[in-house]
Amino acid sequence: MDWFYIQGILMLAGINLIAVLGLSLLTGFTGLFSFGHAGFMAIGAYLGAFMTVSPTTSPAGLGLPFAVGVIAGGAGAGIVSYFIGRITLNLKGDYFCIATLGFGEAIRLILNNVQLFGGSRGWPGVPYKSTLPAIIIVDILAVIFLANLVRSRHGRNMIAVREEELAAQIAGINVFKYKMIALVVSAVYAGVAGVFFGHYMTFIQPKMFSMTKSTELTIIVIFGGLGSISGSVLGALLLTALPEILRAFEIWRLVFYGAAVILIMISRPKGLMGGMELTPAGLRKARNERKARILALKESKNGQNGEAGLG
Amino acid sequence: MIQFLQQLINGLSIGSVYALMAVGYSLVYSIMSFSNFAHGGVIMLGAYFGFFALTLLKLPFIPAFILACAGTTLLAILVERIAYKPLRERNAPFLYFIISAMGASILLENIVIATIGPTFRTYPPVIPRTPIQLGALAVGRLDLIMFFISAVCLTGLILFIEKTKMGKAIQAAAYNIKACALMGVNTDKIILIVFGLGGFLAGVAGVFFGMKYTVYPQIGNITTKSFIAAVFGGLGSLPGAVLGSVLLGTIETLVAGYLSSQFRDLIAFVILIGVLIFRPSGIMGKTTVDKA
Amino acid sequence: MADILEISRLTKRFGGLAAVNDVSFSVPEGGIFGLIGPNGAGKTTIFNLITGVYSLTEGDVRFRGKSISGLPPFKIADMGITRTFQNIRLFKNLTVFENVLTACHLGASYSIIDSVLRLPRFRKEEKALFKKAENLLSIMGLTERRDLVANNLPYGMQRRLEIVRALALDPTLLLLDEPAAGMNPDETEQLMRLIVRIRDEFKLSVLVIEHHMDLIMGICEQIVVLNFGIKLAEGCAADISKDPKVIEAYLGATEEV
């Protein structure tokens, strides 16, 4: 394997990671499942391309710098998600899932039918702007932003929504608002990922952003472990690299993939990290939790009943 | 007017096959409260079973049809046993079921691609293509048969649910499966039967879709439509699933006929979004109240 | 003393069925008020109506003189009403400390930008939140279990943690939904002392639903009896226990059980 090939895999993994981190906030920390985030990636990819593609090619763009494309792609996806959130976030569990699926597919079908951006034939001529250092920098920023958000009262409120929505409301948490923040942030992440994806592939087509792509992102989040940022990072690296490494088995790799997903669900549903973080603070926390559990177990074994001591 | 009637008949026949799929979805949803995304894979394999029974085994149409349905019945039960039963046993939240279902769907689709190949296959011409003339109307034989058999299957299913003891148990489980288990009903058996029934109807739908269009590994994606139809009619309600499917099939055909075939797929999602905004419980669904 | 909560002509219908029908009562400030009645009498529904979980069909709920009907639950919590649940609803996968810390959030006002950039305001307020949570745990004797995941707590402690989490919101009215469910007489006794203690220490008013008559009769200054969604009787413990209508309702209920 030459460096060029490895670099390609790393770039794809890094791009996936951006989207996965956003979805991790929505799914892992806030407990909302989406099967439509490829739609936000599509919005990012197309808006980004519209900004950077040269005005002389067809379909034409504005020929602006890449940075403008990144900002526009992220912001565009965020704004669309806000309006989608307004009408879907009040829906219960499964229905929200279905609604995101519907919106994701609708975005794809609209792009398919709008000839302005090349329709279903796609849009060639997107400039090659995604470099590995740029992707790594965005990944690092994305992780820091997310980690700091999650470890604040805002993040705790989102986790409370995931854990027990009704109790969260009774604890004075504006459930709708925090679901909305999680959705918009995750959509901005997906949008930015879409911009980088388009400027890596140099060609975009609506069918790249189908439900399969959305599912893939969700599966990575679950594989890494819900509520764990380090899990999402590991998951994105492993699950992007794995199919590439399995290329030798070409046609069988997605069979393994499907089987692996079922296997994870039925055998290790908490994913790789199971809500733990691979950081000094995260490990300390896990250790304390274990200690407390052992202590509690000992106490209840010591004959006294564990429920005594009220008042 | 003639054109409109023609489109209407097409729409009804497609809608009735959507209904076969949507009913399978809805049955599982009503009992287990999750969207069984693997249903599309079962339907796809039904189309293949029928195809190979006709071409490789050279069976006549009716035995091939029955064989395909038997195959999907077993397959649906197998999926349940492997992908959902372990989750049921530890009371996993619904999202795990959904992801497991996604995994099963990916698995089924790609097993077919890896073993049979991604090519499109056409059913042998079992049903003559020549339409039947009803006055000025030309009705496809296949469309008529599809509509008729679907109607028979759906009526049979509704009679089974309404009239038999097992059907009553399924209704009770749909109402409250935990209470059923406490009352001594064998819920495992109910779930088995529900998946079996869904699988059987998936086989019928699969064969029809194979005959109407072609057979290919992604044909299962068409279940997104039946799924939308089930939401349209009211998730978990069988009459709702049937009504939603027939309406969706008809609207789609009319849109394709009068506006543009490009909007055909889009209209389904527009309906989905409209329903979710204005009436998430669907046409026939009941609004539920959360117990605090 | 003034009434902190006034419920007037409260009605809730589900379909055609009235779960709560024309119920009125007032909870005096600083009091411990009991709500009793057989199963299905509409007690928990009243809690859901007060806290905004259900929208009421008719009537009005006034808190400190202001109508709160129609407000969303989080606003009502913000105003100072909070509750526990009959079937415990903790943040199950979080530790004891995190459960309480999360509920302390109303004491801080830093923004998302403050938290993402870790600005001084975030640090200062976050420190205060941690301190408040630690403090509550120590007052309520849960410090030793600080790092235990809530799900692994013994049942009685889970109930207590739910009360601590409610207290973290600095409520002025605390609603307890069957706090003694599943407890033995010893534990119930301790719980009674705890309720009186937090009323005095945190200066709040308490409205409690309970089946344990000892608890209700022991600590409630005023009691309302409900049956089939209708108010059957209201008065002090001594009067209630002598009321023939109440005795009949309860005898009927015991026969069913």
Side-chain angles (χ1 to χ4, degrees):
Chain A
M1 273 197 276
D2 58 308
W3 168 240
F4 184 75
Y5 182 65
I6 294 170
Q7 188 183 326
I9 295 178
L10 284 176
M11 283 168 80
L12 264 183
I15 291 167
N16 264 345
L17 177 58
I18 304 172
V20 166
L21 284 170
L23 205 57
S24 177
L25 181 69
L26 186 73
T27 304
F29 289 97
T30 317
L32 289 171
F33 270 68
S34 159
F35 288 117
H37 265 54
F40 298 125
M41 275 187 86
I43 292 174
Y46 273 84
L47 259 179
F50 181 65
M51 295 295 156
T52 61
V53 167
S54 136
T56 54
T57 55
S58 164
L62 298 175
L64 296 168
F66 181 54
V68 178
V70 174
I71 292 166
I79 291 166
V80 173
S81 76
Y82 173 78
F83 289 103
I84 293 178
R86 285 282 296 263
I87 47 186
T88 57
L89 281 174
N90 277 326
L91 300 170
K92 291 241 143 56
D94 233 13
Y95 279 98
F96 175 75
C97 220
I98 298 162
T100 55
L101 185 155
F103 276 105
E105 287 292 278
I107 288 169
R108 185 176 62 84
L109 288 166
I110 289 169
L111 287 172
N112 244 344
N113 289 310
V114 173
Q115 296 311 316
L116 187 65
F117 300 128
S120 59
R121 278 170 292 111
W123 193 350
V126 182
Y128 185 83
K129 293 280 185 188
S130 304
T131 59
L132 188 57
I135 292 172
I136 290 175
I137 289 169
V138 172
D139 278 337
I140 290 172
L141 288 177
V143 167
I144 292 174
F145 182 96
L146 188 62
N148 284 349
L149 177 60
V150 167
R151 290 175 300 130
S152 74
R153 73 180 173 109
H154 302 290
R156 286 194 297 267
N157 286 356
M158 291 177 196
I159 296 170
V161 172
R162 173 194 77 192
E163 287 290 307
E164 185 62 69
E165 198 172 315
L166 189 61
Q169 281 187 329
I170 296 297
I173 294 168
N174 185 345
V175 170
F176 184 82
K177 178 179 138 193
Y178 280 101
K179 283 181 174 177
M180 182 64 98
I181 294 171
L183 176 67
V184 172
V185 171
S186 73
V188 170
Y189 273 46
V192 171
V195 179
F196 275 93
F197 183 71
H199 291 79
Y200 168 74
M201 301 297 281
T202 70
F203 167 70
I204 48 177
Q205 203 181 8
K207 77 170 180 202
M208 291 170 171
F209 307 100
S210 65
M211 200 179 111
T212 321
K213 182 73 192 172
S214 302
T215 318
E216 188 193 321
L217 297 175
T218 301
I219 286 173
I220 295 176
V221 173
I222 291 170
F223 176 78
L226 292 180
S228 163
I229 297 174
S230 23
S232 291
V233 175
L234 277 177
L237 286 173
L238 282 175
L239 285 192
T240 315
L242 194 70
E244 297 300 326
I245 294 164
L246 284 176
R247 276 251 181 256
F249 303 94
E250 197 59 64
I251 54 173
W252 283 97
R253 71 196 170 98
L254 283 170
V255 178
F256 291 136
Y257 189 64
V261 171
I262 300 177
L263 210 66
I264 293 166
M265 283 302 103
I266 61 183
S267 63
R268 192 174 164 73
K270 289 194 153 175
L272 278 183
M273 301 302 300
M276 236 176 71
E277 294 292 0
L278 263 186
T279 56
L283 293 174
R284 217 175 311 131
K285 180 169 176 275
R287 207 172 51 231
N288 285 343
E289 274 174 26
R290 237 193 60 224
K291 255 197 247 158
R293 205 171 56 234
I294 293 167
L295 192 81
L297 262 174
K298 260 194 209 141
E299 265 178 37
S300 64
K301 266 195 195 139
N302 277 348
Q304 68 190 51
N305 88 47
E307 304 188 8
L310 273 158
Chain B
M1 187 63 197
I2 290 295
Q3 197 204 348
F4 177 77
L5 281 176
Q6 197 88 50
Q7 301 283 10
L8 201 63
I9 290 169
N10 282 339
L12 283 176
S13 100
I14 285 290
S16 64
V17 185
Y18 283 171
L20 291 175
M21 307 191 286
V23 162
Y25 252 136
S26 252
L27 264 178
V28 171
Y29 187 90
S30 69
I31 305 274
M32 294 170 71
S33 305
F34 83 99
S35 314
N36 178 18
F37 286 112
H39 201 54
V42 177
I43 290 164
M44 178 263 301
L45 275 162
Y48 275 101
F49 289 157
F51 175 79
F52 286 116
L54 286 168
T55 53
L56 272 184
L57 303 177
K58 305 240 184 302
L59 288 177
F61 178 65
I62 291 179
F65 193 88
I66 293 170
L67 193 68
C69 295
T72 50
T73 308
L74 289 179
L75 183 67
I77 291 172
L78 195 70
V79 169
E80 199 283 322
R81 293 282 113 147
I82 293 174
Y84 309 142
K85 194 173 180 218
L87 298 174
R88 270 199 282 131
E89 280 168 350
R90 47 154 223 271
N91 274 326
F94 86 98
L95 1 130
Y96 288 108
F97 284 89
I98 294 188
I99 300 297
S100 201
M102 284 285 182
S105 158
I106 296 174
L107 180 70
L108 291 176
E109 183 179 320
N110 287 287
I111 281 182
V112 170
I113 295 177
T115 54
I116 305 172
T119 46
F120 286 61
R121 285 154 202 271
T122 316
Y123 261 65
V126 222
I127 311 282
R129 294 259 168 212
T130 48
I132 299 171
Q133 286 294 331
L134 289 175
L137 279 177
V139 186
R141 284 167 202 266
L142 181 59
D143 286 334
L144 267 184
I145 293 175
M146 273 163 58
F147 183 76
F148 180 71
I149 295 190
S150 303
V152 169
C153 287
L154 292 170
T155 317
L157 177 76
I158 286 168
L159 284 178
F160 174 77
I161 301 259
E162 294 291 334
K163 300 284 176 204
T164 65
K165 209 174 154 205
M166 186 39 91
K168 296 257 191 266
I170 292 176
Q171 282 183 356
Y175 187 70
N176 188 338
I177 191 156
K178 284 200 184 105
C180 267
L182 289 176
M183 303 292 282
V185 178
N186 182 350
T187 50
D188 196 55
K189 192 169 146 202
I190 289 183
I191 287 169
L192 193 96
I193 289 179
V194 163
F195 273 87
L197 283 172
F200 179 84
L201 297 177
V204 180
V207 172
F208 283 151
F209 269 113
M211 285 162 72
K212 175 104 183 159
Y213 308 108
T214 49
V215 193
Y216 55 98
Q218 288 82 20
I219 199 173
N221 290 349
I222 204 141
T223 36
T224 319
K225 297 281 180 59
S226 67
F227 179 52
I228 293 171
V231 175
F232 189 15
L235 258 186
S237 149
L238 291 191
V242 175
L243 187 65
S245 303
V246 172
L247 280 175
L248 181 68
T250 314
I251 294 171
E252 270 191 2
T253 319
L254 292 179
V255 166
Y258 286 98
L259 289 171
S260 150
S261 60
Q262 287 186 331
F263 292 124
R264 194 194 163 100
D265 290 337
L266 201 54
I267 191 74
F269 290 102
V270 170
I271 290 177
L272 172 68
I273 290 161
V275 168
L276 288 174
I277 296 169
F278 297 110
R279 199 179 154 81
S281 55
I283 305 172
M284 321 259 299
K286 293 175 211 87
T287 38
T288 51
V289 184
D290 255 10
K291 267 218 112 172
Chain C
M1 230 184 275
D3 290 332
I4 189 162
L5 184 77
E6 297 155 72
I7 286 172
S8 47
R9 319 212 60 167
L10 192 65
T11 301
K12 175 69 185 176
R13 275 185 220 100
F14 294 110
L17 191 84
V20 175
N21 200 352
D22 201 16
V23 171
S24 306
F25 62 87
S26 297
V27 179
E29 188 153 4
I32 297 180
F33 197 99
L35 200 54
I36 63 172
N39 282 329
K43 301 174 307 260
T44 299
T45 307
I46 289 187
F47 270 24
N48 284 333
L49 291 169
I50 296 172
T51 51
V53 176
Y54 291 163
S55 56
L56 43 82
T57 315
E58 272 163 46
D60 195 18
V61 178
R62 301 175 78 79
F63 178 62
R64 298 179 166 278
K66 265 202 288 192
S67 173
I68 56 166
S69 29
L71 290 180
F74 76 92
K75 281 217 175 114
I76 292 174
D78 204 1
M79 291 172 78
I81 303 182
T82 189
R83 69 181 280 191
T84 64
F85 295 90
Q86 191 179 332
N87 43 344
I88 306 172
R89 284 174 185 265
L90 288 167
F91 305 133
K92 284 203 241 14
N93 299 308
L94 304 188
T95 64
V96 168
F97 180 69
E98 287 167 333
N99 263 278
V100 180
L101 181 64
T102 303
C104 288
H105 72 110
L106 291 176
S109 58
Y110 62 80
S111 69
I112 289 187
I113 305 287
D114 289 324
S115 33
V116 167
L117 300 178
R118 290 292 190 251
L119 296 180
R121 181 148 165 228
F122 166 86
R123 291 174 198 278
K124 197 176 123 221
E125 292 188 359
E126 195 75 350
K127 216 184 220 168
L129 294 184
F130 272 66
K131 209 161 163 197
K132 182 177 175 190
E134 307 262 9
N135 198 21
L136 272 170
L137 286 183
S138 93
I139 295 175
M140 304 291 286
L142 277 169
T143 306
E144 272 175 40
R145 314 278 168 145
R146 182 181 188 282
D147 293 315
L148 198 61
V149 173
N151 219 10
N152 295 333
L153 271 182
Y155 181 78
M157 291 236 184
Q158 292 195 9
R159 286 230 172 262
R160 181 157 21 156
L161 175 58
E162 222 189 8
I163 296 176
V164 183
R165 186 180 66 186
L167 291 175
L169 291 159
D170 298 326
T172 44
L173 174 63
L174 176 63
L175 314 182
L176 300 172
D177 198 344
E178 297 197 26
M183 288 186 179
N184 62 32
D186 241 19
E187 291 166 339
T188 309
E189 178 79 33
Q190 287 174 347
L191 178 73
M192 284 164 64
R193 283 203 299 272
L194 179 75
I195 294 174
V196 175
R197 201 184 103 203
I198 54 183
R199 189 259 311 254
D200 298 340
E201 230 166 89
F202 293 88
K203 302 206 173 28
L204 38 80
S205 321
V206 180
L207 177 57
V208 54
I209 294 178
E210 199 34 82
H211 280 304
H212 284 62
M213 278 304 136
D214 304 349
L215 185 144
I216 287 286
M217 297 299 169
I219 61 171
C220 294
E221 287 123 13
Q222 187 88 355
I223 297 165
V224 160
V225 188
L226 290 175
N227 197 19
F228 296 115
I230 298 166
K231 186 163 100 175
L232 209 60
E234 179 171 1
C236 65
D239 294 347
I240 291 291
S241 54
K242 275 181 256 150
D243 194 313
K245 276 187 294 183
V246 176
I247 294 168
E248 196 198 319
Y250 265 88
L251 282 180
T254 29
E255 262 169 46
E256 274 169 43
V257 178

